[in-house]
Amino acid sequence: MKIKYLFILFLLAAFAGYSFAQDGENQQKKRDFSNIKTKLSGRVLDTESEKPLESVNIQLYSMKDTNKLVKGIATSNDGTFALEGFRPGMYQLKISYIGYNTAVKNNLAFTPAEPEINLGDVKLKIGSEMVTAEIEVTAERNMMEMGVDKKVFNVDKDINSQSGSVTDVLKNIPSITVDSDGKISLRGSGNVRILLNGKPSGLLSSDPNAVLDQLPANTVERIEIINNPSAKYDPEGMAGIINIVLKKSASENKGYNYSLNLNAGTGDRYSLATGLAYKMGKVSLYGNYSLRLFHMNFNRDNDRFNFLSDSSYHLLSFSNSRNNMLGHMGTIGMDYDISKDAFLGLSLSYSNRDRSRSEKSDSKNFTLSGIPNNFYNSANSDDEKEYGVDANVNFRQNFGKKFQELNASFQFSNSFERNTENLNTYYTDIFGNPLSTNPVKLNDYTNEKFDSYTLQADYTHPLKEDTENKYKLKSKFEVGFRSVIRRTDNYYRAENYDYNVNQFVEDILLRNNFRYNEQVHAVYGTFENSYKKFGYQLGLRLEQSYTKSEQVESAANYENNYFSFFPSLFLKQGITSTIEAQLSFTRRINRPRLGFLNPFADRSDPQNIRIGNPYLKPEYINGVEVGLVKYLSTFALTGSTFYRITTDVITRFASMDSSGISTYTFKNLSEAKTYGVELIGTGSIAKWWSVNASASYFRTELSGNINGELDNSGYSWTAKMVSNMAIPNLFDVQLSYFYQGKNVSAQGYTDPMQSCDIAVKKDFLNKRMSIGFRISDIFNTQKFVIHSSTNTYSADMYHKRDSRAFFLTFNYKIGTDEKKQKRQKPREENQEQQEMEY
């Protein structure tokens, strides 16, 4: 049996064995939480002298009945205390001492996944009042948090975020794979919707992979993975949603916060990120800026056989390229609390990316008998400049009824990209000597402009509150609408060098202007309810889409207007006190992008011609997922089975003629099926050691409609692990490993790939400053190999970049002392804070 099957069986057996063992233990203990070690600790100090207070009364009450004392203790001579041995749940804490104010903290949540809370230093002030703002919970978040409908990855817990890009962080997240070209896939599918702050962004409109590789990871607060989004979310994207939430760096209290990150790596790779925020009264101002200067070398090999031609039977090509990228990104914003119930937010983001590429290639053609036929080499260069703007207005209104809320937003996105490519081809003899001193020269120019307008509103109406937890709802419904208007204008022209007149002359036949307009108008509604341990959510989204594309030169117009509906269903059932089952069904859509639709023939590579298909239809995806969550004392295990069927699958289709020229276009397949299992484990092995591990095993089946030529199927699997070790009084170490098995496509498959990273970080000045060191792809194993074949040709493509690099990082942050600010608040503000937060 192959090692990959043994690995999967081992994970399944370990998961099942651990679960059954814990269930057996729970049965013996009457299925309670007595095996979970809860703990509440801290230290009590005098506000003025900051000396520890001895014999302070510490009392823990149930939130269901604040008159019921659960645990009590007095502080020791150094002011410390520790309460242990109580059940997980919601509690109220009171800290009182004769002659001092009484401090109260409500809604302390102890869960099987996070059973311990450290309050740090609690400072009491001389007086006789009850104050709630003095107690701060300092328990750290886990790297990965599991929600009902999403996984949340807290980026600040990933040491890679100190020196890497967002792409580097995505490599550590379960379900996500990133190949050597930076292409992002979710559960084996590259059709994933990527959002910034919960919204589509013009910054990601043209080349999202390049932008995410430019964006420093330390500008991101968290990344949310939603595999099966409900009807509330935009249904675009086959595999689900990756939502990247950026930091505002805004202070919660009056004062300022400032952060600075510098990072330098081998191979001329540098980045800078800085942010400043200031809060004064009801107004918060914030701004951040990042710069990324990156250089990357690539090697590509292509080995192709043409079964239709004897004279151009075998093509070998080798190329080396150097990519240079300089990117700037910045955001300014303002948050204004109009009143206690109304909020207004304004923000403006700008990006500027300058990317250049120089490439040298060598190509050789052989006949069927192996005789050299046609040799040539190329020296090409490419220069790309892109600008993008996002402007956002957000409004929130809370009504008189608790949890009743209206959120409205407007977004304008704009981007402009200018690309210039210079191609110089030299035909040579067998020894590489030029046959002519005059190379074939071609220049092509592409300008693309993108505009997007989005108007959205969401309303939440509560129906019934949770009597056991006043901060939750038992039932509610949500309604909303969303209208999006997108416009894209792509203009292309090319010119050949004419040696007769010694200048470039435009080729009119290669001129192309393609325009694409799209409107999507949607309304949705969801209803959510729960009874005891059972909960459900029903949703329905209706969308009307209008699309029109125009090829100006040929005066050709293409229209496709269609209506779509997207139901969703979520079920949740608590089986035992530590086991929860979940089931979900959603329907999604994947609309063809501009590059797939443009019917113009791109002949910049004479051996490989690319043509879009304006008649492409959107894909529809129906997905079902069944999951099981098992909470242990310091660990959480999640197992899920998923099934996804896609109709009218959009796939790249390659063909070859007798002269050896390949043509690539796009077609709709009949359907594709993907199904498999996924296991995720996250938690702590020891206080200083946390682990996030995952593995998925799935099968893909593709059914074509061209005489079975596009039928293909196969199994694949992925595994990754992130281990964080905080060695006391020394440094933090993070080790991450990723493996992806063989993956099938419509006309072939990709080889397995793997990588391993290590990072070390040392904190100084009470964690205000840190220095880090990271090595990416330690063993230099990242590569991308594609094998494809049809009845007319077979090809093997190898792609490798210099992925192994060493990085040195410096971080510094400074800001107003929040606890000091809270002590300076008037008594009335403390009382208002108590009403809002507790």
Side-chain angles (χ1 to χ4, degrees):
M1 183 178 289
K2 294 183 178 180
I3 187 169
K4 65 179 182 181
Y5 298 114
L6 290 174
F7 182 79
I8 293 296
L9 290 174
F10 172 76
L11 286 175
L12 290 170
F15 176 77
Y18 204 173
S19 298
F20 288 133
Q22 291 294 318
D23 282 343
E25 185 178 347
N26 287 337
Q27 290 288 347
Q28 294 176 2
K29 298 183 179 181
K30 300 182 180 181
R31 297 187 180 275
D32 61 11
F33 287 110
S34 58
N35 64 322
I36 297 176
K37 298 178 180 179
T38 54
K39 183 178 180 181
L40 174 63
S41 59
R43 185 175 66 154
V44 182
L45 305 176
D46 178 272
T47 299
E48 301 299 330
S49 65
E50 295 195 353
K51 292 183 179 180
L53 296 176
E54 184 180 1
S55 300
V56 176
N57 193 22
I58 310 295
Q59 295 174 312
L60 192 65
Y61 293 88
S62 170
M63 283 298 297
K64 294 181 182 179
D65 182 4
T66 54
N67 294 319
K68 181 180 178 181
L69 179 65
V70 177
K71 284 281 183 179
I73 198 174
T75 59
S76 59
N77 56 5
D78 60 355
T80 60
F81 67 89
L83 293 174
E84 299 179 275
F86 49 91
R87 289 172 55 87
M90 305 294 292
Y91 292 95
Q92 179 194 70
L93 175 68
K94 288 185 179 180
I95 301 179
S96 57
Y97 194 52
I98 296 175
Y100 285 78
N101 293 340
T102 298
V104 176
K105 177 66 179 178
N106 290 315
N107 215 38
L108 279 170
F110 295 86
T111 67
E114 296 184 12
E116 297 186 10
I117 293 178
N118 179 9
L119 297 174
D121 290 340
V122 180
K123 297 181 180 181
L124 297 185
K125 186 177 181 180
I126 295 177
S128 58
E129 301 171 3
M130 183 173 291
V131 184
T132 62
E134 296 288 351
I135 301 179
E136 291 296 312
V137 178
T138 59
E140 294 188 351
R141 298 175 297 174
N142 290 328
M143 178 182 291
M144 177 68 67
E145 297 177 356
M146 308 297 297
V148 174
D149 61 345
K150 61 186 175 184
K151 308 178 188 74
V152 180
F153 188 86
N154 297 309
V155 175
D156 59 344
K157 298 303 173 186
D158 187 346
I159 302 180
N160 279 337
S161 67
Q162 305 301 317
S163 61
S165 65
V166 173
T167 303
D168 294 317
V169 176
L170 288 173
K171 295 176 183 178
N172 290 337
I173 299 179
S175 308
I176 295 179
T177 57
V178 182
D179 65 24
S180 60
D181 286 326
K183 184 180 179 181
I184 298 166
S185 299
L186 185 60
R187 285 182 173 171
S189 172
N191 292 321
V192 57
R193 184 70 159 168
I194 300 178
L195 306 178
L196 281 182
N197 297 321
K199 301 174 183 177
S201 172
L203 306 181
L204 302 174
S205 60
S206 60
D207 191 350
N209 299 331
V211 175
L212 295 181
D213 201 35
Q214 168 195 341
L215 187 63
N218 60 12
T219 62
V220 177
E221 178 181 327
R222 67 183 185 275
I223 297 176
E224 300 173 345
I225 309 300
I226 309 174
N227 294 111
N228 265 16
S230 71
K232 178 179 179 179
Y233 295 93
D234 180 6
E236 180 76 20
M238 175 190 295
I241 295 173
I242 299 176
N243 182 30
I244 300 169
V245 181
L246 302 177
K247 294 177 181 177
K248 285 185 178 180
S249 301
S251 175
E252 296 295 331
N253 305 279
K254 291 181 180 180
Y256 71 95
N257 283 327
Y258 173 74
S259 63
L260 173 67
N261 173 274
L262 300 171
N263 136 59
T266 56
D268 291 333
R269 304 173 192 188
Y270 309 96
S271 69
L272 175 149
T274 185
L276 176 65
Y278 183 71
K279 183 175 177 65
M280 46 186 178
K282 294 183 177 182
V283 178
S284 295
L285 303 174
Y286 61 90
N288 54 63
Y289 165 77
S290 64
L291 176 147
R292 190 168 174 85
L293 177 62
F294 231 64
H295 301 275
M296 189 75 69
N297 295 319
F298 292 86
N299 296 319
R300 289 185 178 90
D301 300 338
N302 191 13
D303 190 359
R304 192 182 69 191
F305 293 89
N306 180 9
F307 304 145
L308 299 178
S309 173
D310 292 342
S311 60
S312 301
Y313 176 73
H314 187 194
L315 171 66
L316 279 175
S317 63
F318 311 91
S319 66
N320 298 299
S321 63
R322 172 140 176 114
N323 287 17
N324 306 312
M325 190 272 290
L326 174 62
H328 306 267
M329 294 188 71
T331 299
I332 57 173
M334 180 190 74
D335 292 341
Y336 175 57
D337 295 323
I338 302 172
S339 66
K340 184 176 67 174
D341 298 319
F343 163 86
L344 178 67
L346 306 172
S347 67
L348 179 67
S349 299
Y350 173 78
S351 73
N352 179 329
R353 188 171 77 249
D354 190 347
R355 192 167 54 171
S356 62
R357 176 180 63 90
S358 59
E359 180 182 56
K360 292 184 177 181
S361 62
D362 185 13
S363 301
K364 300 177 181 179
N365 264 310
F366 299 89
T367 66
L368 180 62
S369 303
I371 300 173
N373 185 22
N374 187 15
F375 289 3
Y376 60 92
N377 55 54
S378 301
N380 305 326
S381 63
D382 181 54
D383 184 61
E384 177 185 307
K385 299 182 184 298
E386 182 177 0
Y387 311 88
V389 173
D390 269 0
N392 290 274
V393 180
N394 299 286
F395 174 77
R396 183 180 69 244
Q397 175 68 55
N398 296 322
F399 299 95
K401 193 174 183 181
K402 195 174 183 180
F403 298 110
Q404 188 180 11
E405 186 176 85
L406 171 68
N407 286 278
S409 65
F410 173 76
Q411 180 186 38
F412 167 71
S413 295
N414 168 268
S415 67
F416 178 78
E417 179 182 342
R418 178 185 291 113
N419 186 73
T420 303
E421 188 173 16
N422 310 112
L423 301 99
N424 299 275
T425 303
Y426 299 82
Y427 289 92
T428 69
D429 59 22
I430 191 173
F431 302 105
N433 300 314
L435 299 178
S436 170
T437 57
N438 297 328
V440 177
K441 295 183 179 182
L442 171 68
N443 294 336
D444 61 47
Y445 309 89
T446 303
N447 292 339
E448 182 172 303
K449 183 181 179 182
F450 171 82
D451 293 305
S452 174
Y453 305 85
T454 303
L455 180 64
Q456 180 173 346
D458 304 284
Y459 171 73
T460 302
H461 189 82
L463 297 175
K464 186 178 181 181
E465 291 186 28
D466 191 333
T467 56
E468 295 183 359
N469 187 346
K470 64 180 180 179
Y471 304 98
K472 294 179 64 177
L473 287 170
K474 271 189 173 294
S475 61
K476 66 176 179 178
F477 73 81
E478 292 182 274
V479 293
F481 78 90
R482 184 172 184 264
S483 291
V484 182
I485 299 175
R486 304 185 184 100
R487 299 171 182 167
T488 307
D489 192 336
N490 181 281
Y491 179 75
Y492 174 88
R493 69 182 182 90
E495 54 188 22
N496 296 299
Y497 192 82
D498 188 338
Y499 286 95
N500 294 321
V501 295
N502 291 322
Q503 65 181 23
F504 282 97
V505 178
E506 183 179 358
D507 189 338
I508 304 300
L509 297 177
L510 294 181
R511 181 189 297 173
N512 180 63
N513 188 7
F514 186 72
R515 298 170 181 171
Y516 181 70
N517 297 323
E518 180 182 57
Q519 295 185 35
V520 181
H521 306 284
V523 294
Y524 80 89
T526 64
F527 173 74
E528 186 175 330
N529 194 19
S530 63
Y531 176 74
K532 294 185 178 180
K533 293 183 177 182
F534 175 73
Y536 65 91
Q537 183 197 85
L538 303 172
L540 178 64
R541 187 182 188 95
L542 305 176
E543 286 193 351
Q544 177 65 49
S545 300
Y546 303 94
T547 67
K548 180 180 179 180
S549 54
E550 176 187 6
Q551 196 170 28
V552 178
E553 273 67 28
S554 61
N557 292 282
Y558 312 90
E559 290 190 18
N560 184 19
N561 304 325
Y562 52 93
F563 175 80
S564 307
F565 66 96
F566 304 96
S568 65
L569 170 67
F570 291 84
L571 303 176
K572 180 179 68 173
Q573 175 65 56
I575 299 175
T576 70
S577 56
T578 60
I579 298 179
E580 183 178 88
Q582 302 169 357
L583 182 145
S584 63
F585 165 79
T586 61
R587 177 176 167 86
R588 299 188 61 73
I589 189 173
N590 182 44
R591 299 179 177 91
R593 299 191 296 272
L594 178 71
F596 293 0
L597 297 170
N598 192 344
F600 176 71
D602 181 359
R603 302 177 184 272
S604 56
D605 182 350
Q607 292 289 328
N608 299 282
I609 300 173
R610 188 177 182 277
I611 304 176
N613 179 3
Y615 299 103
L616 280 178
K617 296 181 292 184
E619 303 172 323
Y620 288 95
I621 307 99
N622 297 288
V624 179
E625 183 168 340
V626 179
L628 196 66
V629 181
K630 170 70 177 177
Y631 295 105
L632 308 173
S633 58
T634 60
F635 220 79
L637 295 174
T638 302
S640 58
T641 300
F642 58 91
Y643 178 85
R644 188 169 64 226
I645 182 169
T646 306
T647 57
D648 292 324
V649 180
I650 299 174
T651 190
R652 190 178 76 160
F653 177 75
S655 61
M656 182 176 291
D657 60 22
S658 58
S659 62
I661 297 176
S662 298
T663 301
Y664 297 89
T665 187
F666 299 91
K667 294 181 180 291
N668 288 107
L669 297 182
S670 295
E671 67 176 25
K673 298 176 183 178
T674 302
Y675 50 91
V677 295
E678 183 177 60
L679 299 175
I680 300 174
T682 179
S684 300
I685 297 176
K687 285 187 177 181
W688 54 273
W689 187 8
S690 63
V691 173
N692 172 25
S694 64
S696 61
Y697 184 71
F698 55 91
R699 177 176 173 82
T700 301
E701 297 178 355
L702 303 171
S703 300
N705 54 9
I706 307 176
N707 299 323
E709 183 179 350
L710 299 182
D711 291 353
N712 202 0
S713 62
Y715 291 95
S716 185
W717 69 290
T718 63
K720 61 179 62 179
M721 184 189 72
V722 181
S723 173
N724 286 288
M725 293 163 283
I727 302 175
N729 301 320
L730 290 177
F731 45 75
D732 296 342
V733 180
Q734 177 176 297
L735 182 67
S736 56
Y737 174 76
F738 163 74
Y739 180 89
Q740 177 179 313
K742 175 182 174 182
N743 204 4
V744 300
S745 61
Q747 292 180 301
Y749 63 93
T750 60
D751 279 353
M753 58 181 178
Q754 59 182 321
S755 65
C756 181
D757 297 353
I758 188 171
V760 180
K761 184 186 73 167
K762 173 65 176 176
D763 293 324
F764 302 92
L765 302 179
N766 197 23
K767 294 190 176 182
R768 289 186 181 272
M769 185 179 76
S770 66
I771 295 177
F773 177 73
R774 180 171 73 96
I775 307 175
S776 65
D777 195 15
I778 302 172
F779 305 108
N780 200 27
T781 54
Q782 274 196 21
K783 63 181 183 298
F784 193 47
V785 182
I786 302 176
H787 306 277
S788 57
S789 62
T790 67
N791 296 330
T792 60
Y793 84 99
S794 69
D796 299 313
M797 191 273 286
Y798 170 88
H799 183 191
K800 180 78 174 71
R801 66 175 182 174
D802 54 341
S803 53
R804 180 165 57 189
F806 302 81
F807 296 92
L808 186 64
T809 303
F810 171 81
N811 284 280
Y812 182 73
K813 57 185 177 181
I814 190 172
T816 304
D817 184 349
E818 295 184 2
K819 292 185 179 180
K820 181 178 179 181
Q821 289 288 336
K822 290 181 179 180
R823 290 196 298 269
Q824 294 173 349
K825 288 183 178 181
R827 183 185 315 167
E828 292 80 5
E829 191 171 344
N830 276 331
Q831 292 173 351
E832 181 180 352
Q833 184 79 1
Q834 177 179 356
E835 293 175 2
M836 293 176 62
E837 294 186 356
Y838 307 122

